[in-house]
Amino acid sequence: GYAADESIVAHVWDQDKVERNRPELAKYLSHFPEMSKWSQPGSGNHWRKLGSLVEHVDALVGVATDPKTPHGMLRLIERFAEGARQWLKVAGGAKANLLSSVFCGRSWEPWEFSLECGAFVGYTSIRFAAALRGQLGRGRGRAVSVEVDPVQACIARHFVDLAGCSEIAEVWVGQFRDVLPRAVEEFGVRALGFAFLDYKGTIFHIDLASLERLLAFAPGGIAVADNVVLPGAPLYLWVVTRHIAWATTVWALQEFLEPNVEDWMCVSEYCAPLFPEVDEPPVSWQRLSWHTDHMRRRAQGMRPGENLMAEQDRVSYARYIRSIYRDGGVDAQPWADVPHDISLRSRHEYRTAAVCSTQLPRPAWGGLH
């Protein structure tokens, strides 16, 4: 069957890459106990956890079910995260189901690519590569992930190699804002089919605007933002729910392996290359944006004078952020783990967009503006 064939190809073709990458990975692993403050995030326990994750995957990849296939790799990472004190900030569970539903729900062209901002250990990189392979076939399309931390990028590449996805998935190292032009240079304009924003939420709206100005998004391109509630992305949420170029639905769902924590994800479709000014968010939303950065640093152990955030802290803080969003007129629909017909705007929102758009020129997709 296909799974067996996939396993054989990964073993023959990717094993050389795995072995070449292993010495570099071992060099990083040997220094994990001392890596406490210089890289992101800042908790010393973070590096011990990642070291244990690599050992877990390397030990089981040869004996697990479907060992060298994408879904087998995803399950190995999830199994590690399910262990005591080993939780990983990956888009698993309900979030993975939402991402897969939206990603596979659009029609992909062979020249299009996906762009993930915040690769971490390559969990979602592998998921997107497997989905593109299913949509377009082997070697067509690209799933690009950007990671600012070189150690985490090395781990992500290692896992991508083990999963047999190296012909589709690429992990680039650097600040997302710095590598955006490279994506357009390599793949061309109007080739970005799907962008997944999963890093520092307070700058999502800035980088999304940069992608628009670079003419990166393909017609009907999708942008999905994670962690809109926790830690939070208030300015991004304000923009995409009011910008007439974007048709947005906000979904409420459980955080991975944290059933008591409700997070939101924004799913937005790029409808037209329009660049109107969006009204400034209220002062309360701007203040909230600053505070979410504070809480993000606290959760990462970068505020030694404060305790790390316990689960109850996260639950209470998420409830507080949702209340501000709702006071501003933005609410989320509950997501269930079943296939969805993703309707990206309510009829009222479409009517509002239609009224606004009649006041603005609608340039052709291929034109420069």
Side-chain angles (χ1 to χ4, degrees), residues 152-207:
Q152 292 176 176
C154 183
I155 294 172
R157 288 168 175 166
H158 179 57
F159 289 170
V160 165
D161 290 345
L162 289 176
C165 294
S166 297
E167 87 281 12
I168 295 178
E170 300 181 16
V171 181
W172 297 353
V173 181
Q175 291 275 0
F176 184 55
R177 64 188 178 190
D178 296 330
V179 302
L180 290 182
R182 175 185 171 185
V184 177
E185 288 173 1
E186 293 204 11
F187 300 104
V189 298
R190 304 297 182 213
L192 177 56
F194 190 98
F196 180 42
L197 309 178
D198 189 20
Y199 54 117
K200 186 178 180 181
T202 50
I203 58 174
F204 283 177
H205 63 294
I206 298 174
D207 291 334

Side-chain angles (χ1 to χ4, degrees), residues 31-51:
H31 294 291
F32 269 20
E34 293 80 33
M35 297 169 82
S36 58
K37 295 296 179 185
W38 70 273
S39 195
Q40 297 180 359
S43 170
N45 178 61
H46 173 78
W47 299 115
R48 290 192 293 273
K49 185 188 297 184
L50 291 190

Side-chain angles (χ1 to χ4, degrees), residues 51-61 75-77 79-80:
S52 299
L53 171 64
V54 174
E55 292 173 358
H56 166 85
V57 170
D58 282 353
L60 296 179
V61 73
R75 183 63 193 125
L76 281 179
I77 296 172
R79 190 181 303 170
F80 175 87

